[in-house]
């Protein structure tokens, strides 16, 4: 068998290219609730003059679907307008959070209830759309990551501030190393 260096170079380049576009892996997190952390309560989003919508330089708390540019449309011709992971993002002005030893139940504006299981690594679905979800604790933060089949990741980080009287929800959507969306929502306990 004759050694062909050009074929070897092409093979190596193809392997490197495949590694660069590989789907990210979600990191497993702890199911153990940190001592003294309880996200339970009824929470209302801050609005108007009572508190700033966001700190300087941050995205506002309202969540709007981004508009597509022509280059983004070209990249996603065979897919729907937005990444599939958008369907898993729930929002509301009033949240009712119930924390158990195994997870959270979050009611958004008394209409949609989402279950978050601590330490989970499972497939979740909404209709025909499926995604991988990993949820758990990292320090005193509850982190839920949902990844669609294309590798786009929705990350939600829930934390308590001001001695437990403020609930903060940081949301981001990333496609590999490119951030598509981010927002911070601040809720006061009712």
């Amino acid at each position: 068998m004759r050694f062909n260096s050009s074929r070897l170079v092409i093979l190596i380049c193809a392997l490197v290219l495949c590694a660069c576009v590989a789907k990210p892996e979600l990191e497993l997190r702890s199911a153990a609730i940190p001592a003294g952390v309880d996200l339970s309560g009824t929470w209302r989003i801050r609005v108007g003059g009572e508190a700033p919508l966001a700190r300087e330089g941050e995205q506002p708390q309202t969540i709007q679907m981004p508009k597509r540019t022509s280059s983004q449309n070209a990249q996603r011709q065979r897919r729907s307008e937005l990444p599939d992971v958008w369907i898993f993002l729930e929002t509301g002005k009033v949240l009712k959070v119930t924390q158990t030893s195994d997870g959270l139940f979050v009611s958004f504006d008394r209409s949609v209830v989402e279950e978050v299981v601590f330490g989970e690594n499972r497939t979740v679905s909404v209709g025909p759309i499926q995604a991988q979800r990993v949820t758990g604790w990292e320090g005193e933060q509850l982190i839920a990551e949902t990844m669609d089949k294309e590798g786009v990741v929705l990350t939600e980080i829930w934390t308590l501030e001001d001695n437990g009287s403020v609930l903060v929800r940081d949301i981001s959507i990333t496609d590999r190393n490119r951030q598509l969306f981010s927002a911070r929502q601040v809720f006061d306990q009712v």
Side-chain angles (χ1 to χ4, degrees):
M1 182 174 182
R2 189 171 159 207
F3 178 73
N4 186 333
S5 62
S6 62
R7 285 187 181 173
L8 180 61
V9 169
I10 290 171
L11 177 63
I12 290 172
C13 288
L15 290 173
V16 168
L17 182 60
C18 288
C20 290
V21 296
K23 221 165 109 170
E25 300 235 355
L26 298 181
E27 181 182 330
L28 298 178
R29 292 192 166 73
S30 174
I33 302 169
V37 176
D38 188 351
L39 304 177
S40 296
T42 302
W43 306 91
R44 182 176 309 278
I45 197 163
R46 286 186 182 172
V47 294
E50 299 164 1
L53 286 178
R55 294 180 186 155
E56 188 175 329
E58 290 181 342
Q59 297 289 326
Q61 294 179 45
T62 56
I63 295 178
Q64 298 175 344
M65 299 300 227
K67 295 186 188 266
R68 289 252 168 232
T69 64
S70 59
S71 65
Q72 288 172 321
N73 283 337
Q75 292 174 357
R76 298 192 190 275
Q77 281 179 352
R78 56 185 175 72
R79 291 196 274 168
S80 65
E81 275 298 302
L82 296 170
D84 288 347
V85 79
W86 273 104
I87 201 162
F88 296 96
L89 178 60
E90 299 292 344
T91 63
K93 293 179 181 177
V94 177
L95 308 182
K96 181 171 185 208
V97 179
T98 305
Q99 181 173 315
T100 68
S101 60
D102 299 318
L104 289 182
F105 293 93
V106 183
S107 169
F108 295 89
D109 291 335
R110 300 173 72 185
S111 62
V112 175
V113 177
E114 183 174 340
E115 178 185 18
V116 178
V117 179
F118 304 146
E120 75 180 333
N121 180 11
R122 67 182 173 119
T123 299
V124 293
S125 61
V126 173
I129 298 175
Q130 293 187 335
Q132 177 189 6
R133 175 166 296 153
V134 172
T135 304
W137 295 93
E138 193 169 289
E140 293 185 351
Q141 297 181 325
L142 176 62
I143 301 174
E145 291 182 301
T146 306
M147 181 172 60
D148 68 17
K149 65 183 177 188
E150 301 295 329
V152 179
V153 179
L154 163 64
T155 303
E156 298 175 76
I157 302 173
W158 300 80
T159 54
L160 290 173
E161 293 183 356
D162 293 339
N163 295 320
S165 65
V166 175
L167 177 67
V168 177
R169 181 185 185 204
D170 289 304
I171 304 164
S172 66
I173 296 179
T174 54
D175 187 359
R176 309 295 188 276
N177 294 325
R178 189 175 57 128
Q179 187 165 319
L180 303 175
F181 174 81
S182 71
R184 172 171 271 209
Q185 296 181 311
V186 178
F187 298 88
D188 293 304
Q189 197 158 32
V190 178

